[in-house]
Amino acid sequence: MAALVAEGKEVDGLVAGLAPEQWALPTPAPGWTVAHQIAHLAATFRLAGMAAAQPDAFTAMVSRLSGDFNGNVEAALSEYLADPPEVLLERWRAERATAEKALAAVPPTQLVPWLVRPLPPGVLAAAGMMELFGHGQDIADALGVRRTPTDRVGHLVGFAVRTWDFGYLARGLTPPETTLRFELTAPSGRVWTFGPEDATEKVTGPAWDFCLLVCRRRHRDDLALRATGDVADHWLDIAQAYRGPAGPGRQPGQFAELDRR
């Protein structure tokens, strides 16, 4: 929970001092400005806060959603995009604070209703960190800012390993029965490992790069991740830590100039 709060503050720091015209800057997500990114985060944290504090109201609201994933996203954004930047920023801060407080109040072993299945509050917080990391990267790229890696990404790494099959499911593919091994180096130099030590299919490299990959904010060709085995190699092409359409992703070399700074 502390990591979720810290990650939110970091993204807040990217936009807090922006001029009104900077909120209209395009981000690497096609059709989305900086304002779209914050509106999406506001809507997501609003859902999380409702799920944790008002589970019955959340369940009733979800039951009314249509089967159009993109349509639901656009509808959630529209309410916030109608606000001027200063109002949008304050609303996002309020939604964030409400969700943080509500999630922290839920006992660790109690399940919180969510869009597909109930989750422990810690897992839902890790999902929130995934949202902050991915959309925060879009904002940083739009502003030409390089973020400083921290070991907070360990929570996102754990979430991405837990949801390793999302990339297959998003493409209508059957996940393989093969168990992957992950050996990832944290920004601090620690090594985080997941999966059996004797696995023949393995993904290794920097944890920060791993997070950029699973959030689809960098192409695998621009990351220092390595695959051992055909299944692991294919997984690097389709990895994602979120449900729904994969989207176009990013192109090789798209951020070469920024990443060299």
Side-chain angles (χ1 to χ4, degrees):
M1 296 302 171
L4 179 68
V5 172
E7 197 74 12
K9 288 180 178 178
E10 181 180 311
V11 177
D12 192 296
L14 289 171
V15 297
L18 294 183
E21 61 271 17
Q22 289 178 292
W23 285 80
L25 288 173
T27 68
W32 279 31
T33 65
V34 171
H36 282 83
Q37 301 286 348
I38 295 298
H40 176 77
L41 289 172
T44 300
F45 275 80
R46 179 183 182 182
L47 287 177
M50 180 186 295
Q54 301 172 281
D56 291 341
F58 173 84
T59 301
M61 184 274 297
V62 170
S63 70
R64 295 192 295 269
L65 293 177
S66 73
D68 181 359
F69 180 89
N70 290 328
N72 291 332
V73 171
E74 292 301 322
L77 288 176
S78 62
E79 176 185 346
Y80 295 95
L81 289 174
D83 292 326
E86 65 275 12
V87 176
L88 171 57
L89 178 59
E90 289 306 316
R91 290 188 69 188
W92 175 51
R93 286 172 171 169
E95 303 288 15
R96 209 171 79 229
T98 297
E100 291 164 355
K101 181 178 180 180
L103 285 170
V106 178
T109 58
Q110 180 176 316
L111 295 180
V112 176
W114 196 235
L115 300 174
V116 176
R117 61 175 181 266
L119 300 172
V123 176
L124 188 51
M129 290 196 66
M130 181 268 295
E131 294 282 348
L132 288 165
F133 183 94
H135 295 288
Q137 187 63 47
D138 285 338
I139 294 169
D141 288 335
L143 300 174
V145 174
R146 285 199 68 179
R147 296 192 293 172
T148 301
T150 74
D151 278 14
R152 289 196 303 270
V153 296
H155 299 285
L156 172 48
V157 168
F159 182 78
V161 170
R162 179 189 292 263
T163 59
W164 69 277
D165 58 344
F166 280 7
Y168 297 97
L169 300 176
R171 294 163 177 80
L173 303 174
T174 300
E177 296 182 3
T178 306
T179 301
L180 298 179
R181 168 78 170 179
F182 299 92
E183 297 177 358
L184 304 165
T185 304
S188 66
R190 296 174 58 194
V191 177
W192 295 322
T193 60
F194 304 85
E197 293 184 10
D198 61 351
T200 58
E201 300 286 340
K202 184 184 300 185
V203 173
T204 61
W208 185 264
D209 285 15
F210 182 81
C211 293
L212 289 169
L213 178 83
V214 298
C215 290
R216 295 181 61 77
R217 263 52 185 191
R218 290 292 186 274
H219 192 277
R220 64 171 289 185
D221 290 354
D222 297 330
L223 302 171
L225 296 169
R226 298 292 178 266
T228 300
D230 293 341
V231 173
D233 185 68
H234 180 233
W235 187 85
L236 289 182
D237 287 330
I238 65 171
Q240 66 182 74
Y242 54 89
R243 288 189 178 272
R250 305 293 180 259
Q251 298 302 309
Q254 183 175 350
F255 304 96
E257 182 177 347
L258 175 61
D259 290 342
R260 279 197 297 268
R261 295 179 189 174

